[in-house]
Amino acid sequence: MGKAEFLSPKAIGNRIKSKGLQKLRWYCQMCQKQCRDENGFKCHCMAESHQRQLLLASENPDQFMDYFSEEFKNEFLELIRRRFGTKRVHNNIVYNEYISDREHVHMNSTQWETLTDFTKWLGKEGYCKVDETPKGWYVQYIDRDPETIARQQELEKKKKQDLDDEERSAKFIEEQVRRGKEGKEGETSFFTELKRENEEEKVAFSLNKGPSTSAATSSKSSTSLGPSALQAATASVKRKEASHSSESKEKKKKSALDEIIEMEEQKKKTSRTDYWLHPNIVVKVLTKRLGDNYYKKKGLIKDVQEKYTAIIKMVDSGDKLKIDQAHLETVIPAPGKRVLVLNGAFRGSEAILDSIDEKKFTALITLDSGRLKGRKVDVPYEDISKLA
C-alpha cells in the first residue's frame, strides 16, 4: 500500500501523531527510532539496519549501557540544576519534564530499571540529597560548581569580616565608656548643708564691679538686701558656678570626645566594600578564558572603570586587557616592599610590609601615610597588594 498524499487527511493525521510522545515499548534506543504501533516496531526489528546495530551492541554491551547511563544522568542533573536549582522537588516532576523532549535517552536502555533506583543511586553517589516521604521520593541538587563555592566562601568571609569590625567598634566604645566613668568617679563633688551659727545675724552680699563672685560678710557697713534681692543673687551665683563647672568638665573630656569623633570617622572607613580595585597596583590573572598566555600572570592596573572593571597592562608581554575584578587577585610582595591597603579601616593608605603570618592568612604592615603614619596593623591578604 502506497503512502498517503501530502495534504490528504491521513497524511495530516500521521504527522500529528508523530509530533507527540509515543509508547516507550515501541522505541529502539540503538537506532533512536520511535514506532507508532506494534506492527511498525516488529517491522523495524526485522530491518537490516536494526540487525547491524544489534551486532555492534553484542560485541561490547557494557560499553553501550554505560554510555546511555552517563548521558541519562548528565541530562537529568542538568535539568535539575537549570530548572530547579537547589530547591527540594519531587523526582517524578523532574522526570516528566525530562521525557517531554522526544530526543531524550530512555531509561530502559540504562543500568537503572526504575526511577526509584535511579533516585537512590543519586543520593548514594552524592549528586543530590534524597529523602522518602509518603508522597514519594524527593531530590535536592547539590551544587558543586567551583565558581559557586568560591562565591559562597567570599560571602562568608565578608560576613565574618563585618562581624569582626563591629566587635572591634563595640569594644572600643565600651572602653571609652569605662574611661569616662572612671573620670567621673575621680571628679565626684560632695555637697554639705548650709548652716548658720547665729540665727539673729543678718546675711549680706557685697557686689563688686570686678569679675569676682559675691562674698558673704557680716559687716554692718555692707549694704543690706531684702529677701527678693537675696534670692536673685543666690540664683545668679548658682548659674555662674554651673556654667564654670560644665566648661571645666568639657575641657577635661575634650580628648575623649576627639577620640570618639575619630572612632566615628574610622567606623565610616571600616564599612567594607565589595570592590577593591585601585590604579598603580600589581595583580594576578586567575581566569583561563583569555588563554594560557595570561593565566597566573602579573599585570599593572592602569585604570579602573565603574569600580569593578580594570584595564591592566601585562608585565611580561605588555598587552592591555580589560578584566573584571572577580578574575583577579592581589599580589603579596616580599617583606620590606611597599603595598597599598585596598579595603577596611585604612583603605587607600600606603604601607610597608613587615611580615606574613601564613597560618592566619594575615600580614603585618606599617602605615606610611595619613594621620596614623608609623602605626603597625594586621590585615588579611586580600586587603593589600603590591605597589608599582
Side-chain angles (χ1 to χ4, degrees):
M1 183 178 178
K3 292 183 178 181
E5 295 182 6
F6 179 64
L7 292 177
S8 65
K10 186 175 181 180
I12 294 174
N14 290 339
R15 282 197 294 273
I16 292 173
K17 289 178 183 179
S18 64
K19 284 183 179 179
L21 295 175
Q22 306 295 323
K23 288 188 177 181
L24 182 61
R25 62 179 177 173
W26 295 331
Y27 180 82
C28 178
Q29 183 66 58
M30 285 297 301
C31 303
Q32 296 183 357
K33 180 176 177 60
Q34 176 69 60
C35 300
R36 287 205 297 269
D37 52 24
E38 188 175 356
N39 186 40
F41 186 71
K42 182 179 178 181
C43 293
H44 171 72
C45 292
M46 296 172 62
E48 184 180 355
S49 60
H50 178 74
Q51 297 296 328
R52 286 198 300 267
Q53 292 293 336
L54 289 181
L55 289 175
L56 289 174
S58 62
E59 293 178 359
N60 195 349
D62 294 337
Q63 181 181 358
F64 283 92
M65 182 175 289
D66 292 342
Y67 171 75
F68 291 135
S69 300
E70 186 70 18
E71 287 291 318
F72 181 83
K73 183 258 297 181
N74 291 337
E75 293 177 4
F76 193 90
L77 290 176
E78 179 64 20
L79 175 63
I80 298 178
R81 185 189 67 82
R82 187 179 65 253
R83 175 69 174 81
F84 302 100
T86 56
K87 295 180 181 178
R88 181 173 174 266
V89 63
H90 199 285
N91 63 346
N92 207 28
I93 295 177
V94 184
Y95 183 71
N96 287 334
E97 290 199 17
Y98 173 72
I99 65 175
S100 62
D101 181 14
R102 289 191 63 196
E103 304 300 328
H104 73 277
V105 178
H106 290 64
M107 186 177 287
N108 61 353
S109 62
T110 65
Q111 65 185 16
W112 306 286
E113 295 181 359
T114 62
L115 181 61
T116 301
D117 294 339
F118 177 62
T119 305
K120 292 179 180 179
W121 183 86
L122 289 177
K124 182 180 179 181
E125 295 296 325
Y127 292 105
C128 297
K129 295 179 182 178
V130 300
D131 59 311
E132 186 180 10
T133 65
K135 295 182 179 180
W137 286 86
Y138 283 81
V139 296
Q140 184 178 1
Y141 181 68
I142 300 175
D143 195 352
R144 301 185 186 277
D145 186 22
E147 294 183 358
T148 305
I149 295 174
R151 195 182 308 114
Q152 292 176 353
Q153 291 177 350
E154 288 180 359
L155 291 175
E156 291 176 359
K157 189 182 294 183
K158 183 181 178 183
K159 290 180 181 178
K160 184 179 179 182
Q161 289 174 349
D162 292 340
L163 290 175
D164 293 341
D165 293 338
E166 291 177 1
E167 289 176 359
R168 283 196 293 267
S169 301
K171 288 182 180 179
F172 186 75
I173 292 173
E174 289 177 0
E175 180 66 19
Q176 293 296 324
V177 171
R178 185 185 63 79
R179 291 171 59 184
K181 288 181 178 179
E182 291 178 356
K184 285 184 179 179
E185 290 176 359
E187 298 172 1
T188 303
S189 58
F190 298 95
F191 299 95
T192 58
E193 296 181 0
L194 179 62
K195 295 182 179 180
R196 295 176 60 184
E197 296 179 357
N198 188 1
E199 295 293 337
E200 297 179 356
E201 185 179 359
K202 294 182 178 180
V203 179
F205 293 90
S206 62
L207 302 176
N208 298 327
K209 294 181 180 180
S212 61
T213 60
S214 302
T217 60
S218 58
S219 174
K220 294 181 180 179
S221 62
S222 62
T223 306
S224 178
L225 299 177
S228 60
L230 180 61
Q231 292 177 358
T234 54
S236 63
V237 171
K238 288 182 180 178
R239 284 198 298 270
K240 287 183 180 180
E241 290 178 353
S243 62
H244 284 301
S245 62
S246 62
E247 288 178 0
S248 62
K249 287 182 181 178
E250 287 179 0
K251 289 180 180 179
K252 290 180 180 178
K253 292 186 178 180
K254 189 175 181 180
S255 59
L257 181 62
D258 291 339
E259 291 180 0
I260 293 175
I261 293 173
E262 291 179 2
M263 181 198 69
E264 291 297 329
E265 293 177 356
Q266 293 266 349
K267 190 175 180 181
K268 292 179 181 178
K269 292 183 179 180
T270 53
S271 56
R272 301 181 63 83
T273 58
D274 56 351
Y275 56 89
W276 52 267
L277 296 177
H278 198 280
N280 299 324
I281 62 171
V282 181
V283 293
K284 186 181 292 185
V285 180
L286 294 180
T287 180
K288 292 184 178 180
R289 296 178 181 177
L290 302 175
D292 295 335
N293 295 333
Y294 303 117
Y295 182 61
K296 292 288 185 179
K297 300 295 183 181
K298 296 179 182 179
L300 176 64
I301 295 183
K302 291 294 186 180
D303 189 21
V304 178
Q305 298 179 356
E306 297 179 355
K307 298 181 181 180
Y308 298 95
T309 307
I311 306 296
I312 67 172
K313 182 179 181 181
M314 303 306 295
V315 176
D316 296 339
S317 60
D319 299 337
K320 286 189 176 182
L321 306 174
K322 184 177 180 180
I323 308 180
D324 189 85
Q325 73 170 14
H327 303 305
L328 299 173
E329 73 172 359
T330 58
V331 175
I332 307 299
K337 300 292 185 179
R338 296 180 65 81
V339 295
L340 183 69
V341 182
L342 307 176
N343 215 336
F346 311 101
R347 181 185 179 94
S349 301
E350 297 183 5
I352 298 175
L353 180 62
D354 294 334
S355 61
I356 297 173
D357 191 345
E358 297 180 356
K359 294 182 179 179
K360 297 181 179 179
F361 300 101
T362 59
L364 179 63
I365 60 174
T366 302
L367 298 179
D368 198 34
S369 63
R371 293 183 301 173
L372 301 176
K373 183 177 181 180
R375 181 177 176 181
K376 294 181 179 292
V377 292
D378 275 322
V379 295
Y381 282 169
E382 60 270 14
D383 285 358
I384 59 171
S385 189
K386 180 181 178 181
L387 268 174

